[in-house]
Amino acid sequence: MGKYKYEIGLIGLGVMGRNLLLNMADHGYAVAGYDKDRDKVNALTAESGGRHIRGARVLEEYMALLKSPRAIIMLVPAGPAVDDVIRDMLPFLEAKDVIVDCGNSHFTDTNLRQRTLARAGIELLGVGISGGEHGARHGPSIMPGGQGVAYERVRPLFEAVAARVQGEPCVAYLGTGSAGHFVKMVHNGIEYGLMELIAETYDLMKRGIGLTDDELAGVYESWNEGSFHSYLLEITAHIFRHVDEKTGRRLIDVILDEARQKGTGKWTSQTAMDLQVPVPVVDAAVSTRDLSGYRAEREEASRILTGPSPPYRGKRDLFISSLKKALQAAFIIIYAQGLSLLRKASEAYGYNLKLADVARIWRGGCIIRAALLEDICASYQKIPDLPNLLIEPALGAQVAACQQDLRGMVCSAANLGIPVPGMMAALAYFDSYRSAWMPTSLIQAQRDYFGAHTYERVDEKGIFHTKWEED
C-alpha cells in the first residue's frame, strides 16, 4: 500500500469531506484523505472497508501518495483556512497540479487565489457543492467554475458522484474564473429566501389560525405533493413530527428562535446591490435573521409595544388553500430574483453562464431542489437570454393566477399583526416590476433640488438641472 498512488486527494475530513470521499470511493476512485485531526483520520480509516482509501496526518507524506499531476479537493471552512491549506501545500505542488476548492469561498477570494496560483502553473477550480452531509455521501449538486481544461481533469469524477435526475448528473461546467462559487452563493441566497417564506407560512398558521404541530406537519406534507414538491417543504413536514428525547415535546417547540447565518445570504445581498440588481426577498430574509438575534430586545418590546392580535374568524381550510397559492407565487418570485442576479453577474464578470444549465443541476441533490426547477430549466432552454422569469409566459401566468392570494395573505398578516417581510417583499417586487411608471421621478426631482444631481426628461434627450428655489 505504501507505494500505491491515489487518483484524487481530499483535504478536510469533517462530515462533508469524509462523506464526499466515501462517495468517490464507492464509484471506484482511489482517494487519499488528509486532516490534522487524528480522530477524523481514524474515522475515515474505520469506514474505508475494502475500498482504495488512505488517510494521512503528515502533509509531506500525504502529497507523496498522490498521482502526478495531482488533483486535490479541499473541503475546509471558507476564509483564512483555505489560504492556510494552500500555503502549506505550495512547497509540494508542481506545475499542472489542480486544486479544487469545494467550500463556500467568496467569489472575490477565488478570483485572487486563481490569479496567484496561475503564476506557478497551478490551476484552482472554485466549485460549489450543495446537499449537506447526505448529499455529499449519496449525490450532491455540483457547481464548478474555472479553466475548462482543468475542469476536464475532474469532470468524470464529478459526473460519477453527483446526484442524478432523469439519468443526468447534476453537475455542469458553468464558466471561467469564480463562476462556480458565484452560482453557489446565489443558490444560498435563494435558499435564505425560500426558508424565510416557509417560516412565514408557519407563523401565519401557528399564531394566525392556531394549528397544532401535527396539523402543520399534515399541511406541509400535502403541499409537498405534485408540482409544488420541494426538498425544503419535505423536511419541514418531518420537523413538525420530530419528538425531543429530553422533554417528550415536539422538538420545534424547544428550539430557540434565533437564526444564525454563515454569510452567503449577506454576500448575495451585498453583491446584488453592487450590481444594482434588486433581490428584496433575500434582503428581507437576511434582515429577519439579524432581527431574530435581538431576542432580549424583542422580549422587552413585546411588553411595551402593542399591535393587533384579533382572532382569525374565517375558514381555516380556505386560509390554508390561499396561503399555499401565495407561497407558490413567492417561490417563483425568489427564483426570478436570484436568476436575474446570475444573468447580470455573468455579463459583468464574463462568466458566460447558461442559466438552463444552472437550473438543470439544481433539480437534484441541492437544498433548493424543487419540481418548479423543471419549468425554470425549460424556460431558459426555450429563451436563453430571458431577462426575468416573470415575463416567461407560463411562469408569469402562474404568478398572476396566484397574485390575489399573495395580496390577501399580506393583508391578513398585517391585520393579524404577524410579520411577513418576505411575502411583502415578493409582492412589492412583482408590483414594481410590472409597473410601466414608478414614482422615482419624484426622487430625481428631490435629488436635483437639494444637490443639483440633474435629471432626464420623458419628452427630449439630455441631462437637465432646474434652479428650484427661483420658482
Side-chain angles (χ1 to χ4, degrees):
M1 286 291 288
K3 294 182 179 180
Y4 188 89
K5 292 289 185 177
Y6 292 80
E7 300 167 82
I8 299 290
L10 192 147
I11 293 179
L13 297 178
V15 173
M16 282 285 291
R18 186 174 74 252
N19 281 345
L20 185 61
L21 187 150
L22 292 169
N23 185 354
M24 295 174 185
D26 284 346
H27 286 86
Y29 286 88
V31 191
Y34 168 83
D35 202 292
K36 293 179 180 179
D37 188 320
R38 183 187 303 274
D39 291 339
K40 291 178 180 178
V41 174
N42 290 342
L44 174 66
T45 302
E47 291 189 68
S48 62
R51 291 164 292 195
H52 282 300
I53 293 175
R54 180 79 175 270
R57 291 181 56 245
V58 178
L59 188 59
E60 184 174 4
E61 295 175 4
Y62 169 74
M63 298 295 280
L65 293 171
L66 304 176
K67 288 183 179 179
S68 184
R70 304 176 186 88
I72 303 170
I73 293 171
M74 297 187 299
L75 257 170
V76 299
V82 176
D83 294 312
D84 291 344
V85 171
I86 292 174
R87 185 181 61 249
D88 291 345
M89 283 195 294
L90 270 176
F92 311 106
L93 292 173
E94 300 170 346
K96 297 185 179 180
D97 286 348
V98 174
I99 299 172
V100 185
D101 178 7
C102 287
N104 278 333
S105 292
H106 194 282
F107 73 98
T108 57
D109 292 337
T110 301
N111 289 331
L112 178 60
R113 291 167 186 145
Q114 287 173 334
R115 290 194 298 268
T116 301
L117 288 167
R119 299 187 191 111
I122 299 163
E123 294 291 348
L124 174 71
L125 294 173
V127 178
I129 291 188
S130 177
E133 57 186 272
H134 182 272
R137 185 68 183 86
H138 301 287
S141 174
I142 306 176
M143 299 158 249
Q147 288 296 323
V149 173
Y151 173 66
E152 284 300 311
R153 292 271 305 279
V154 294
R155 179 182 56 79
L157 168 70
F158 283 163
E159 290 181 351
V161 303
R164 304 187 85 82
V165 174
Q166 299 173 7
E168 295 181 315
C170 293
V171 58
Y173 173 67
L174 296 176
T176 59
S178 55
H181 277 151
F182 195 97
V183 169
K184 177 57 176 9
M185 178 189 74
V186 175
H187 164 285
N188 286 18
I190 294 172
E191 178 185 309
Y192 270 58
L194 295 172
M195 293 170 72
E196 171 62 24
L197 291 166
I198 294 171
E200 290 172 12
T201 66
Y202 164 43
D203 198 357
L204 283 166
M205 288 189 286
K206 178 182 174 67
R207 290 197 293 175
I209 61 176
L211 294 196
T212 66
D213 290 333
D214 278 334
E215 289 171 327
L216 286 161
V219 168
Y220 289 116
E221 285 166 353
S222 69
W223 286 3
N224 192 45
E225 297 172 355
S227 62
F228 199 27
H229 170 73
S230 80
Y231 172 73
L232 285 170
L233 285 176
E234 178 183 328
I235 67 169
T236 299
H238 293 169
I239 286 168
F240 283 103
R241 295 204 187 277
H242 194 90
V243 177
D244 176 37
E245 294 179 357
K246 293 182 179 180
T247 64
R249 300 170 60 193
R250 295 300 168 91
L251 182 57
I252 186 66
D253 297 320
V254 296
I255 294 177
L256 191 67
D257 61 335
E258 292 185 23
R260 291 177 173 82
Q261 52 189 311
K262 293 186 176 180
T264 45
K266 177 183 69 176
W267 295 347
T268 304
S269 288
Q270 290 173 331
T271 305
M273 289 181 186
D274 290 339
L275 292 172
Q276 296 183 316
V277 180
V279 290
V281 180
V282 181
D283 299 340
V286 173
S287 295
T288 300
R289 290 199 193 188
D290 289 341
L291 186 56
S292 75
Y294 289 79
R295 192 164 187 270
E297 290 185 37
R298 289 189 288 112
E299 289 177 343
E300 178 66 17
S302 71
R303 292 187 287 269
I304 297 171
L305 303 176
T306 60
S309 56
Y312 180 73
R313 301 190 183 281
K315 294 183 178 180
R316 295 202 313 181
D317 57 341
L318 294 178
F319 185 96
I320 292 168
S321 176
S322 184
L323 183 58
K324 176 186 178 181
K325 293 177 183 177
L327 185 61
Q328 288 176 306
F331 266 28
I332 295 172
I333 291 169
I334 178 58
Y335 279 108
Q337 292 175 11
L339 287 158
S340 292
L341 174 56
L342 287 180
R343 181 175 184 269
K344 182 64 176 289
S346 183
E347 296 171 355
Y349 302 138
Y351 292 148
N352 194 30
L353 294 175
K354 295 178 176 59
L355 296 185
D357 283 346
V358 174
R360 178 178 62 78
I361 66 176
W362 283 352
R363 294 178 304 163
C366 72
I367 304 303
I368 66 170
R369 62 186 184 266
L372 173 62
L373 282 159
E374 292 285 355
D375 293 337
I376 293 174
C377 181
S379 297
Y380 284 113
Q381 287 173 339
K382 184 169 54 177
I383 315 173
D385 59 349
L386 181 69
N388 192 297
L389 288 174
L390 294 181
I391 57 174
E392 194 281 324
L395 290 168
Q398 288 186 46
V399 177
C402 296
Q403 67 170 293
Q404 288 307 121
D405 298 282
L406 181 56
R407 295 183 194 284
M409 281 302 130
V410 168
C411 291
S412 292
N415 289 329
L416 292 167
I418 294 175
V420 289
M423 287 190 185
M424 288 179 171
L427 179 59
Y429 179 87
F430 174 76
D431 282 336
S432 295
Y433 191 71
R434 69 179 187 84
S435 294
W437 176 88
M438 293 180 67
T440 41
S441 54
L442 176 59
I443 294 173
Q444 285 299 86
Q446 291 169 329
R447 293 178 70 244
D448 189 57
Y449 194 113
F450 64 68
H453 293 296
T454 72
Y455 56 87
E456 295 174 86
R457 298 176 60 94
V458 298
D459 54 359
E460 60 180 298
K461 295 289 185 181
I463 302 298
F464 299 89
H465 167 60
T466 295
K467 296 181 179 179
W468 299 88
E469 297 287 357
E470 296 179 1
D471 289 355

